Amino acid sequence: MARYDAEPDKVSTYWSDEEVNPVRLEIKAHYIKEQQHLCCYCRLPDPSTHGLDWDVEHVVSKKRRPEFMFTQVNLGVACKECNGSKRDKETLVDPSAATYPSSSDAFLVVHPHFDEWSDHILRDDLTYASFTVKGKWTIEACRLNRFNERVIGLRFPLSDSRYEDQVRSLLADGSTLQEIANHIQLSVPTDTAEGSDHLAS
């Protein structure tokens, strides 16, 4: 780490350097325990301890801001699907910030260190709905409703605003999120090909 800190021009590829491997493993083990085996985005449990199911997550992409690569509050663990969906998306409200922000409102994403996840996202089994703009961003960026896409059998992502409108309407009527998922599953035509036609009316 000392060599990296001394480098005037920091690059994201250093993360894959052989000398960093023990540090990567230590970071991963630490956050698996710290997060109680929950992905920082979908919050689904994975009891594995070998680490192969987990990625070290850089909230602000190390490719975009390599100088934040080892910033403690920029690190966590995410499941491979959430991490793969989020990839290198911009998560800072102000991408030109000179130093790592220290408050929740500086981030587009629900931040594992600065936010209470349940203040932004509601989950019932495998169905997600947002309370806030930040929750909505996280659901879409990490494709959290990919689980219901598979259960329901949709050929398109559940990112159409009509889907969220329908979820909110059914929630207002007192339905649980799992009941909503079942409702949508029953309402989806099985023989239509266009994504927008699959939405329940």
Side-chain angles (χ1 to χ4, degrees), residues 26-45:
E26 184 178 343
I27 290 171
K28 183 180 289 187
H30 170 79
Y31 282 107
I32 289 174
K33 183 177 180 180
E34 179 80 11
Q35 294 173 201
Q36 301 180 328
H37 292 260
L38 299 175
C39 170
C40 64
Y41 296 126
C42 67
R43 302 295 290 173
L44 290 179

Side-chain angles (χ1 to χ4, degrees), residues 1-130:
M1 299 310 96
R3 182 169 73 83
Y4 182 77
D5 290 340
E7 288 288 338
D9 299 316
K10 295 176 173 59
V11 293
S12 62
T13 52
Y14 181 65
W15 183 255
S16 301
D17 197 284
E18 185 175 349
E19 76 172 22
V20 180
N21 189 51
V23 179
R24 289 198 308 267
L25 293 175
E26 184 178 343
I27 290 171
K28 183 180 289 187
H30 170 79
Y31 282 107
I32 289 174
K33 183 177 180 180
E34 179 80 11
Q35 294 173 201
Q36 301 180 328
H37 292 260
L38 299 175
C39 170
C40 64
Y41 296 126
C42 67
R43 302 295 290 173
L44 290 179
D46 186 332
S48 69
T49 56
H50 54 67
L52 297 179
D53 293 341
W54 300 99
D55 284 335
V56 173
E57 166 61 5
H58 294 85
V59 181
V60 176
S61 163
K62 63 182 182 295
K63 183 175 181 180
R64 289 179 178 272
R65 301 298 297 269
E67 68 269 34
F68 298 152
M69 190 185 305
F70 297 105
T71 301
Q72 184 177 357
V73 290
N74 193 46
L75 298 170
V77 288
C79 69
K80 290 186 176 293
E81 288 195 79
C82 281
N83 192 38
S85 296
K86 176 178 165 285
R87 297 180 63 84
D88 298 318
K89 293 181 176 70
E90 181 59 74
T91 56
L92 288 171
V93 173
D94 177 10
S96 65
T99 59
Y100 197 87
S102 58
S103 62
S104 167
D105 58 8
F107 295 89
L108 300 170
V109 68
V110 175
H111 197 291
H113 295 281
F114 300 146
D115 289 308
E116 188 66 42
W117 189 88
S118 59
D119 288 344
H120 300 276
I121 297 173
L122 177 66
R123 177 173 72 84
D124 187 347
D125 195 14
L126 297 178
T127 305
Y128 294 79
S130 61

